[in-house]
Amino acid sequence: MSAIKSIYTCQNCGAQSPKWIGKCPSCNEWNTYVEEIVEKKQATGKTAARLAGNQPMTLDKIETLQNKRIPTEIAEFNRVLGGGIVPGSLILLGGDPGIGKSTLALQLALAMKDRKILYTSGEESLQQIKLRAERINTTSENCYFLSETSLENIVAQTEEIQPELLVIDSVQTISTELIESSPGSVSQVRECTSAILKMAKKTGTAVILIGHITKDGSLAGPKVLEHMVDVVLQFEGDTNYLYRILRSNKNRFGSTSELGIFEMDSDGLHEILNPSEHLITKVSDHVSGTAIAGAIEGIRPFLIEIQALVSSAVYGTPQRSTTGFDLRRLNMLLAVLEKRAGFKLVQKDVFLNIAGGLRISDPATDLAVICSILSSNLDVAVNHKYCFAGEVGLTGEIRAVSRVEQRIAEAEKLGFTRIYIPAHNKSFDQKKFRIEIIKAARVEEVFRSIFKQ
Ligand code: TYD
Ligand code: MG
């Protein structure tokens, strides 16, 4: 007798229960349990030890993957992956709808002209894919397209064509016949991914799985999906801005701190190899409320413009709002300004914006943030040839930042005349820089220097 049973699965975190529950005990979300029919295969005989399967090996017998990576034609993508696509690996590419996941995958597939690639889409028809390909104006003779939602067919076609890279757009639209629940449900996603994983490891085909993102920003589907795949990439950016950022949240073959920056244009995505030049608005006259931060994301330094607006609060409770910067960190910096530098910002609204729609997590931007706030508050412009790098501590001290030389070099390259850095940064050869380097231990010193008070 085949054991058909139904199980209730949380669509948010993938927890399962034999009964329906209103609130998920594992992720505390409400109303996320959906009934799914699970057909368990009959256990096939005894699970006797089989020595014929994979054999254990010592390290020196295992071939190294390094020189086998497949470099893509998109340098920013290679950078984020740590050098190229590892054969047989599973890459999950997540992002909000409309951010450009399909465009990126298609551009990637079409640019690798001498490699066989299978691009399957469950979301678009072949005609729609062709339209998009015409828009980005590239073509490749080795790229095959398939509009398909059945996992079994995708696997069969992959085994037939034997591509080096398989793109599946998206994991939420494909389904396997083995499970009755609808595409996109937790059990379908999990089952399909595990089948694709097995296929990838068997055939050595690398797979890019495109995944949707839920409204709270996590990848739709269970966390287990992220555990299964080798690399989790996130494609993000505000749809209103042109910039798109590719980050890796997990990478079994490289660093996760790398960042790729693209610009969405009318003819597809373009790589931005020198982000600083794009991220700084070239203003000729001095305006108050902006300061330039020397930030580092991944191994790449770039300069970004921080914009602040401080105005008197209209209502009792002042507003604090940020785009691209952590709000709690802003509140902390405002408290430091208030307490340590004596600036009264309690009755002021403070708005902070990182130009270009970027989201920055480098703490070295702190110093530029507080300088831009003060500049707006005093309505005195910061010299637009000055740049700042420093983390601000709770006592108002400027704490050392990592790789300060790279930041200085980037500022110098872009024609800045002065950079403020932490006094406690370990010493380095200052003579090799032409830019004026000012070391400061406390935020007050910086204020005095830039606002000449
Ligand atoms: P798409 O790749 O379909 O997003 P996703 O697969 O992540 O949902 O990208 C859709 C957006 O990109 C759409 O709003 C149109 C825009 N776009 C361009 O601006 N230029 C282009 O050349 C292409 C192909 C798309
Ligand atoms: Mg898409």
Side-chain angles (χ1 to χ4, degrees):
M1 194 190 82
S2 77
I4 296 182
K5 63 170 190 171
S6 82
I7 196 155
Y8 291 84
T9 312
C10 170
Q11 300 295 306
N12 186 49
C13 70
Q16 293 185 324
S17 151
K19 286 188 307 192
W20 186 84
I21 332 177
K23 183 183 176 193
C24 174
S26 84
C27 67
N28 293 329
E29 283 294 310
W30 286 90
N31 258 335
T32 52
Y33 275 77
V34 170
E35 183 178 17
E36 294 181 347
I37 313 281
V38 188
E39 198 168 344
K40 282 262 177 324
K41 273 205 224 116
Q42 292 272 313
T44 49
K46 292 190 198 87
T47 47
R50 282 175 301 156
L51 282 176
N54 289 342
Q55 299 292 322
M57 272 191 215
T58 51
L59 275 180
D60 53 328
K61 300 246 167 55
I62 306 174
E63 276 183 79
T64 146
L65 283 172
Q66 202 53 42
N67 22 15
K68 289 221 180 121
R69 284 183 189 252
I70 311 169
T72 69
E73 296 299 317
I74 301 183
E76 295 289 277
F77 199 82
N78 290 343
R79 179 209 300 282
V80 177
L81 285 182
I85 299 176
V86 175
S89 65
L90 216 58
I91 299 166
L92 182 63
L93 174 62
D96 287 331
I99 207 77
K101 302 179 293 297
S102 309
T103 310
L104 178 65
L106 182 66
Q107 267 183 255
L108 196 78
L110 290 177
M112 294 161 76
K113 294 195 194 305
D114 47 356
R115 311 227 176 224
K116 205 186 254 184
I117 291 167
L118 177 60
Y119 184 104
T120 67
S121 179
E123 304 199 333
E124 287 159 15
S125 65
L126 291 177
Q127 286 73 21
Q128 284 172 318
I129 298 177
K130 175 134 196 199
L131 270 180
R132 191 196 293 268
E134 278 168 3
R135 201 167 166 191
I136 59 181
N137 202 14
T138 28
T139 176
S140 160
E141 285 174 7
N142 284 322
C143 189
Y144 295 81
F145 292 93
L146 176 70
S147 182
E148 182 58 80
T149 55
S150 146
L151 173 79
E152 281 72 20
N153 194 12
I154 294 177
V155 171
Q157 293 294 348
T158 310
E159 282 168 358
E160 170 75 25
I161 297 181
Q162 297 199 335
E164 283 185 75
L165 175 68
L166 167 70
V167 177
I168 299 182
D169 188 7
S170 66
V171 66
Q172 276 90 5
T173 54
I174 55 172
S175 60
T176 164
E177 293 156 8
L178 295 176
I179 291 186
E180 288 199 15
S181 52
S182 56
S185 66
V186 171
S187 17
Q188 275 290 4
V189 168
R190 187 162 43 198
E191 220 42 54
C192 291
T193 313
S194 94
I196 294 165
L197 183 74
K198 258 187 231 137
M199 183 200 67
K201 301 289 172 229
K202 197 173 91 191
T203 60
T205 302
V207 184
I208 296 183
L209 273 177
I210 294 182
H212 294 173
I213 267 191
T214 55
K215 57 179 181 309
D216 63 347
S218 59
L219 276 157
K223 239 333 186 213
V224 60
L225 184 64
E226 289 178 45
H227 287 297
M228 276 164 145
V229 299
D230 299 303
V231 181
V232 180
L233 300 181
Q234 180 125 342
F235 204 34
E236 58 186 34
D238 201 317
T239 29
N240 298 324
Y241 289 99
L242 297 174
Y243 297 115
R244 302 284 182 269
I245 294 168
L246 187 69
R247 286 176 196 275
S248 86
N249 292 345
K250 162 183 176 177
N251 191 350
R252 287 192 179 141
F253 319 110
S255 136
T256 52
S257 53
E258 279 307 333
L259 196 78
I261 303 183
F262 297 88
E263 189 177 11
M264 179 62 99
D265 225 328
S266 58
D267 57 348
L269 290 160
H270 296 284
E271 302 170 62
I272 295 190
L273 298 170
N274 49 351
S276 306
E277 286 177 15
H278 288 256
L279 297 174
I280 298 173
T281 43
K282 307 229 167 15
V283 278
S284 46
D285 46 336
H286 297 208
V287 278
S288 67
T290 68
I292 309 290
I296 286 191
E297 286 281 327
I299 56 162
R300 200 155 47 148
F302 56 84
L303 303 184
I304 39 168
E305 185 173 317
I306 315 273
Q307 300 179 329
L309 183 65
V310 178
S311 62
S312 301
V314 183
Y315 302 107
T317 327
Q319 288 189 59
R320 268 83 215 260
S321 128
T322 59
T323 327
F325 192 79
D326 185 13
L327 184 59
R328 274 173 307 179
R329 189 138 192 111
L330 172 68
N331 283 329
M332 189 277 274
L333 293 175
L334 290 176
V336 171
L337 275 177
E338 176 105 31
K339 188 91 177 172
R340 308 283 169 206
F343 288 95
K344 294 273 169 282
L345 296 164
V346 196
Q347 285 310 315
K348 302 283 177 84
D349 287 339
V350 180
F351 305 96
L352 194 79
N353 187 9
I354 308 273
L358 289 189
R359 187 165 57 84
I360 285 293
S361 50
D362 183 3
T365 48
D366 287 354
L367 192 56
V369 167
I370 55 173
C371 288
S372 67
I373 293 170
L374 275 195
S375 157
S376 175
N377 190 40
L378 302 170
D379 201 16
V380 177
V382 177
N383 188 324
H384 68 287
K385 290 278 174 210
Y386 292 178
C387 175
F388 304 86
E391 179 181 346
V392 175
L394 288 182
T395 61
E397 85 276 20
I398 301 177
R399 306 174 63 174
V401 296
S402 60
R403 288 181 285 162
V404 71
E405 286 175 74
Q406 265 178 288
R407 303 175 199 260
I408 299 172
E410 182 76 5
E412 182 176 291
K413 197 172 91 194
L414 280 139
F416 284 80
T417 55
R418 183 186 281 185
I419 182 165
Y420 289 85
I421 63 163
H424 303 302
N425 252 89
K426 68 174 178 11
S427 61
F428 56 92
D429 182 15
Q430 285 195 25
K431 289 197 198 75
K432 65 181 177 188
F433 297 109
R434 275 172 288 112
I435 183 172
E436 184 185 4
I437 299 170
I438 307 243
K439 292 188 163 185
R442 302 197 52 80
V443 287
E444 302 91 295
E445 294 169 28
V446 178
F447 301 153
R448 246 177 271 130
S449 161
I450 56 175
F451 301 120
K452 301 268 185 321
Q453 287 176 340

